[in-house]
Every structure is written in structure tokens, then in C-alpha cells.
């Protein structure tokens, strides 16, 4: 049996097993990857492959040499050995009728009733669903108490009161060896919420090693891997699901090159996976490759027109590119599909922000957060809107809520730095800029923000500013701010040679990009004076001549410099 057929059979079984245990998010993920495996045209009619047609052009467009090598062969290092299916429980037949009733209650979100129905059942499936129902009942009550105490967006120390009893029961079952992989997943989830991260990692590794198709368990495990060292220390079995996990973990750790290599390798088997395409777009978005990201999302929408997952990122790209009509169309589209999804509210918020209607934008970001209080990007984007509205206390609160959710979110730390800079508190601003640049050292904007903080009157640490601008210049500074500022600072410190070097580099880039403006005039003026002082009159004359094309004081200055250059040339080399 081929590799693709093995994966297909495993995923088909997983979809049924996960759905049977009410793990619908993991079941949906597995079903999407199942359809993402290319069908054999000889075996299936065109109607079976219709869903897959759309993504093929993305693959062709962004195919790399590495990826092409994996088109017909499995990715290197990926094991396709079939893991045994979940064994049926001895008590399954006895529990079955009660289980069906409990599952019906669960599907109707009557979690307490589901728990009660299974109170005397001892089968592994029944125990898992009973504990899982109790966990979700506790989560719902926690949300209700938070709203009662603090309002829908308030902070609160309310906890899930069911965690202690669930932990006690699952811990005992694990010790006597009768727990299954799903019970281990839930046990890991409970331990994570209680702050026992090390034990939670151990338990979740046990879960994914015994049943690797539960994507929810992999996702929880990833959230506990905050460093590359922690990730490398995991003792994971060599299964193809491990590569999905590593690709996702690398992305969250901002190891985007490694993540892209993994996803491209996985595309050898999962050629039409929309999930993989969306993850590739995320990695390219982090690298600010907006053109490629836009093409991928357009193709994803053509293939899956009612998709809302990840579309908030697409809206961020359209916002950055100021594509009014495309963002308007996307906002209208998600509004008609499901206007009460957090992502939909976020997209509409971006649309109003681009129109300059910041109050309305905040309203939609708040709506997104009422639907999902842990929706990270909504907190960060709402902070940006408050900055635009000059409401810095509200901006600081929004950014702090974002870093409470994810301390590795460099955008929120950067936002805090901006807010404190606006309040005239550069020492605080510098602290937050340092945190953001530590998390994302390849972003030139963060280095520039930190350099500008060093330049303020209160700090005036110009040498440190120069170091930051140098780092920015080495990080693909697309706004071309760093080189110009390096030249100005060196000139201010009397280092004419270094200033001339950076002005010349800046001038070359501006000429290549055909940019005009005051920076160009400033560079020409400095270089003309510098070369005149160095007695390199021919070079000075070239820059002065270029300044004559401008109208204004620089033209008169250039004429004066030219007269001086010619006088000195005559003095040094008098005519015979």
C-alpha cells in the first residue's frame, strides 16, 4: 500500500474516532488533511477531485527545488508506519446506550446532563466524555462568573472549579495504567491550566505518542514549548504527524525558514491541504512577503469561498497595502458568511481603521473580544486604534492584555513601547522595545523604534542609537530609514568619513528606487561639501551639478559651492 493510501486510511479512522469522542476541532482538522491528499484520477470521478483543483496553482507558483523533489516521494525523515487503531473497550457494549445519550446531550451543549448520564459508566470512552463534559461545564461557569464580576472584557482570577476533581480522577487512572490517549490529552489540558507545565508536557507527549492524530493534543503541547530547547527535549515517536507539529512549533518560535521547509516537505503527500497553504502564508507574512501572501489567500478563497479561518491575517495584508476595495469586499464577504465570528469582527475592524473611522473600528475589535476574550490579534489591533485616537491609557491596557495572553507576542511589546514614548517616558518605552526586539530580532522597524528612543533628549545615547540603526540596516530596512539616520548621526558627531559612506549608500538606494525628496537633497548637499573639503573637486562638482536641478535654497547653495570649487581649482592649478 502506498504512502498516501496509508495516510488516507489513518485519517479516515481518526475522523470517526475523534468525532465519536466529541473532539470536533481535531476531527475537522483531520478531515481537512484527508481531503488534502491528492486523489488518484484513475480511481475517482472528476466530482471527487473538484475540491482539490483550486490549490494546484498555488503549488505550481511557489514550488521550490526542494519541494519539487518531494512531489512523488515521501518527505525525508517522515515515518508512514501505521499506528495501531484505538482498541475497543471491553465495557463498550454495556456503556454504548448511555454513551449515545450523553453524546447527544454534549452536542446540545448540556454538559452537566452528559456528565450525570455517565456517572456509573467505567469504559474508557465513557470516562473520557464524562470528564471532558465536566471540564467544559466548569469552563462555561468560569466565563459566566467573569462576566458577572468584571464584565465581558474584564480581568478576573476566576478559575474552573472542576479542575481539582478531574485531575484527581485522571491522575489515579493514569497511575493504574488504565488511561487511554484521550484521557491523557484531557489530563494534560487540566495540568496546563493549573500551571503544572512540566508534567503537562510529559502527559501530552504520552498522549500523542499513543494516538498521534489528535491535533488538539499537538496544539496544547506546542503552547508549552516556548523555547527551541524545550521543543528539542521532547521524546516524540517518528510519525508523519510529528512533522505537522514541528512545522507549527517552528512557526510559533519564529523559526520561519525551518517551518517552511517542513511544510514544503509535507506537501509531497498533502498536495492540496488548505491548512498547509494557510500556514505557509503565515510564515511569509511574518517575513513581510505580502505579495506572495496575497496570492495564496486569493487562491484559498477561490477554493474555499466560505473560509473564515486565517482570513484576519489576509485583512492585515490588505490593510498594510492599503487595498481599500479588496478589504471592503473581504469584510462584506465574511459579514454575509458569519458576522459573529471573532475573525469576521476583526476584518471589519481593519476595514473601518483603514477608512480612518477609529471609534467604529474599536467597537468591532471589542465585539471580537466578547466572542473570544483570548483573541490575541484583536487586543493588539485595538491597542493600535487607541494609539491613533491618542488614548494612551486604553492602548496600554489593551497591549498588556495581549502580552498576558501570549508573552511572546512582539507586536504587543512594541505597542507598549510606542504608547510610553507618546507619554514622554522613554525609559519605559526602551524597556518594552528591548523585549520586542529580543523576540523578533529580524524586524528592522523594532530596531529603528529603539534607536529613535535612544535619540530622545532625556536619553541622548547616540552611540547606542547608531548600533540599533546598523542592525536595522542589516535587517532589510524597506522604509530606508536606517541608512539616512546613520549618516545624520555620524555627521552630528563630526565623523565626516562615516557620514559620507552612509549618505552615499542611501543615495544609491534612492536612485535605484527612483525616489525623490528632502533626503535625496540632503545627501547630495552633504556629499558635495564633504568632497569639496577633501579637495576631490570633480566628485564635489558632480553632486553640485545635480543640485542645480532643484528649485529652492539648495540651488543657490549649489551655485555658491560651485563658485568656491572653481576658485580653489584655479588656485591649485593656475592657468599657464
Amino acid at each position: 500500500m502506498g504512502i498516501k493510501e496509508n495516510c488516507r486510511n489513518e485519517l479516515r479512522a481518526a475522523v470517526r474516532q475523534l468525532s465519536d469522542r466529541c473532539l470536533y476541532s481535531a476531527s475537522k482538522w483531520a478531515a481537512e488533511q484527508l481531503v488534502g491528499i491528492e486523489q488518484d484520477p484513475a480511481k475517482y470521478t472528476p466530482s471527487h477531485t473538484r475540491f482539490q483543483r483550486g490549490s494546484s496553482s498555488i503549488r505550481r507558483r511557489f514550488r521550490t527545488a526542494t519541494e519539487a523533489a518531494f512531489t512523488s516521494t515521501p518527505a525525508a525523515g517522515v515515518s508512514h508506519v501505521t499506528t495501531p487503531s484505538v482498541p475497543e473497550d471491553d465495557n463498550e457494549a454495556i456503556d454504548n446506550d448511555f454513551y449515545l445519550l450523553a453524546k447527544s446531550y454534549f452536542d446540545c451543549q448540556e454538559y452537566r446532563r452528559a456528565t450525570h448520564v455517565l456517572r456509573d459508566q467505567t469504559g474508557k470512552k465513557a470516562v473520557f466524555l464524562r470528564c471532558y463534559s465536566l471540564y467544559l461545564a466548569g469552563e462555561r461557569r468560569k466565563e459566566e462568573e467573569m462576566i458577572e464580576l468584571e464584565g465581558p472584557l474584564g480581568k478576573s482570577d476566576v478559575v474552573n472549579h472542576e479542575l481539582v476533581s478531574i485531575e484527581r480522577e485522571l491522575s489515579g487512572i493514569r497511575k493504574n495504567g488504565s488511561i487511554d490517549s484521550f484521557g491523557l490529552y484531557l489530563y494534560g489540558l487540566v495540568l496546563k491550566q493549573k500551571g503544572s507545565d512540566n508534567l503537562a508536557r510529559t502527559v501530552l507527549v504520552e498522549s500523542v505518542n499513543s494516538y498521534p492524530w489528535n491535533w488538539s493534543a499537538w496544539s496544547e503541547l506546542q503552547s508549552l514549548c516556548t523555547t527551541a530547547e524545550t521543543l528539542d527535549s521532547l521524546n516524540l515517536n517518528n510519525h508523519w504527524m510529528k512533522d505537522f507539529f514541528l512545522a507549527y512549533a517552528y512557526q510559533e518560535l519564529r523559526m520561519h525558514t525551518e517551518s517552511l521547509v517542513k511544510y514544503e516537505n509535507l506537501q509531497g503527500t498533502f498536495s492540496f491541504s488548505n491548512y498547509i497553504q494557510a500556514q505557509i502564508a503565515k510564515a511569509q507574512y511574518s517575513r513581510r512577503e505580502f505579495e506572495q501572501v496575497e496570492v495564496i489567500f486569493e487562491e484559498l478563497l477561490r477554493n474555499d469561498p466560505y473560509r473564515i479561518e486565517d482570513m484576519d491575517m489576509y485583512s492585515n495584508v490588505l490593510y498594510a497595502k492599503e487595498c481599500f476595495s479588496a478589504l471592503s469586499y473581504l469584510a462584506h464577504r465574511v459579514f454575509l458568511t458569519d458576522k459573529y465570528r471573532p475573525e469576521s469582527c476583526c476584518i471589519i475592524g481593519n476595514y473601518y481603521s483603514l477608512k480612518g473611522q477609529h471609534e467604529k473600528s474599536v467597537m468591532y475589535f471589542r465585539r471580537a473580544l466578547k466572542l473570544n476574550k483570548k483573541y490575541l490579534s484583536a487586543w493588539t489591533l485595538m491597542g493600535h486604534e487607541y494609539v491613533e485616537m491618542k488614548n494612551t491609557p486604553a492602548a496600554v491596557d489593551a497591549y498588556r492584555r495581549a502580552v498576558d495572553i501570549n508573552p511572546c507576542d512582539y507586536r504587543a511589546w512594541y505597542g507598549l513601547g510606542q504608547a510610553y514614548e507618546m507619554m514622554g517616558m522613554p525609559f519605559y518605552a526602551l524597556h518594552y522595545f528591548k523585549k520586542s526586539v529580543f523576540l523578533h530580532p529580524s524586524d528592522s522597524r523594532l530596531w529603528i523604534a529603539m534607536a529613535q528612543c535612544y535619540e530622545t533628549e532625556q536619553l541622548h545615547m547616540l552611540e547606542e542609537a547608531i548600533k540599533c540603526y546598523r542592525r536595522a540596516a542589516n535587517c532589510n530596512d524597506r522604509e530606508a530609514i536606517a541608512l539616512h539616520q546613520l549618516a545624520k548621526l555620524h555627521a552630528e558627531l563630526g565623523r565626516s568619513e562615516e557620514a559620507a559612506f552612509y549618505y552615499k549608500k542611501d543615495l544609491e538606494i534612492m536612485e535605484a528606487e527612483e525616489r525623490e525628496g528632502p533626503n535625496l537633497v540632503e545627501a547630495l548637499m552633504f556629499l558635495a561639501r564633504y568632497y569639496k573639503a577633501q579637495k576631490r573637486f570633480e566628485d564635489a562638482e558632480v553632486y553640485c551639478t545635480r543640485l542645480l536641478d532643484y528649485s529652492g535654497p539648495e540651488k543657490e547653495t549649489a551655485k555658491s559651492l560651485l563658485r568656491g570649487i572653481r576658485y580653489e581649482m584655479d588656485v591649485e592649478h593656475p592657468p599657464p
Side-chain angles (χ1 to χ4, degrees), residues 194-206:
K194 293 193 74 179
S196 305
D197 290 356
N198 290 332
L199 182 55
R201 262 194 301 272
T202 303
V203 169
L204 287 168
V205 166
E206 289 176 22

Side-chain angles (χ1 to χ4, degrees), residues 287-561:
R287 291 161 62 160
R288 296 180 63 75
E289 296 170 359
F290 292 156
E291 296 297 332
Q292 293 186 12
V293 175
E294 188 175 4
V295 171
I296 290 174
F297 275 120
E298 285 173 0
E299 194 79 26
L300 280 173
L301 277 176
R302 276 194 291 273
N303 193 36
D304 189 3
Y306 300 103
R307 181 187 182 93
I308 292 180
E309 289 98 335
D310 308 311
M311 287 300 123
D312 51 337
M313 181 180 294
Y314 181 34
S315 77
N316 292 341
V317 172
L318 297 176
Y319 181 93
K321 294 182 69 179
E322 297 186 1
C323 299
F324 284 91
S325 57
L327 185 52
S328 171
Y329 175 70
L330 179 65
H332 183 68
R333 192 171 187 161
V334 297
F335 183 85
L336 292 177
T337 302
D338 188 350
K339 66 180 180 180
Y340 290 117
R341 280 278 290 273
E343 296 94 334
S344 301
C345 296
C346 201
I347 292 165
I348 297 167
N350 270 339
Y351 167 69
Y352 282 116
S353 177
L354 192 57
K355 287 184 72 178
Q357 298 182 21
H358 301 298
E359 292 84 358
K360 212 161 187 180
S361 178
V362 166
M363 182 183 79
Y364 275 97
F365 290 134
R366 289 180 69 85
R367 185 175 293 177
L369 290 164
K370 286 177 182 177
L371 294 165
N372 179 5
K373 192 184 285 191
K374 292 189 176 181
Y375 188 21
L376 180 65
S377 61
W379 283 114
T380 307
L381 291 170
M382 189 163 75
H384 295 344
E385 293 307 301
Y386 282 129
V387 167
E388 291 291 331
M389 296 161 66
K390 304 292 188 289
N391 186 350
T392 44
V396 167
D397 182 61
Y399 290 133
R400 287 197 185 283
R401 296 293 290 275
V403 296
D404 285 344
I405 295 166
N406 182 6
C408 296
D409 180 26
Y410 77 92
R411 294 180 185 87
W413 290 114
Y414 172 69
L416 278 169
Q418 278 189 313
Y420 278 103
E421 196 171 33
M422 284 174 63
M423 291 190 285
M425 303 168 74
F427 287 98
Y428 283 96
L430 188 62
H431 169 73
Y432 294 119
F433 285 141
K434 282 181 177 178
K435 278 192 174 279
S436 70
V437 87
F438 172 77
L439 291 166
H440 199 55
S442 61
D443 194 326
S444 61
R445 297 168 301 170
L446 308 183
W447 289 107
I448 288 168
M450 197 154 76
Q452 288 170 344
C453 204
Y454 278 124
E455 285 185 88
T456 55
E457 284 184 21
Q458 294 101 313
L459 297 178
H460 201 66
M461 299 168 69
L462 300 187
E463 292 296 342
E464 296 299 319
I466 285 171
K467 289 177 187 175
C468 292
Y469 281 128
R470 278 183 186 148
R471 290 294 298 267
N474 292 330
C475 292
N476 190 19
D477 174 25
R478 298 184 184 189
E479 287 80 14
I481 295 169
L483 287 174
H484 183 74
Q485 290 301 115
L486 279 167
K488 283 183 73 172
L489 285 174
H490 280 299
E492 187 179 332
L493 293 168
R495 300 168 186 165
S496 300
E497 190 176 344
E498 289 92 337
F501 171 78
Y502 287 113
Y503 270 126
K504 202 166 184 180
K505 281 187 75 171
D506 193 29
L507 188 62
E508 287 168 4
I509 292 170
M510 285 189 281
E511 287 169 349
E513 296 176 358
E514 299 181 351
R515 279 193 284 121
E516 297 286 337
N519 287 1
L520 184 68
V521 173
E522 186 181 323
L524 290 170
M525 188 70 73
F526 181 89
L527 290 168
R529 286 173 170 155
Y530 172 74
Y531 285 121
K532 178 176 178 285
Q534 296 293 312
K535 308 292 184 184
R536 292 171 58 178
F537 299 123
E538 288 182 5
D539 290 331
E541 199 168 357
V542 168
Y543 293 115
C544 285
T545 305
R546 288 184 62 181
L547 283 167
L548 294 175
D549 295 334
Y550 293 89
S551 58
E554 59 270 11
K555 184 174 183 177
E556 297 306 315
T557 307
K559 285 179 181 179
S560 174
L561 283 169

Side-chain angles (χ1 to χ4, degrees), residues 107-157:
D107 291 342
C108 295
Q109 298 186 13
E110 297 183 60
Y111 302 126
R112 296 282 180 190
R113 294 186 79 186
T115 304
H116 179 73
V117 166
L118 296 171
R119 66 193 180 280
D120 298 322
Q121 309 308 312
T122 56
K124 290 178 182 177
K125 270 174 68 176
V127 168
F128 168 76
L129 189 60
R130 173 165 52 77
C131 292
Y132 190 41
S133 300
L134 187 61
Y135 169 79
L136 290 178
E139 286 294 294
R140 176 186 281 175
R141 182 60 197 140
K142 183 176 82 171
E143 289 293 322
E144 290 168 352
E145 286 184 22
M146 287 171 73
I147 291 170
E148 289 162 6
L149 292 170
E150 302 289 343
L153 298 182
K155 286 186 177 181
S156 177
D157 296 326

Side-chain angles (χ1 to χ4, degrees), residues 204-220:
L204 287 168
V205 166
E206 289 176 22
S207 175
V208 297
N209 280 343
S210 59
Y211 186 84
W213 303 282
N214 181 3
W215 183 246
S216 296
W218 288 109
S219 299
E220 294 297 334

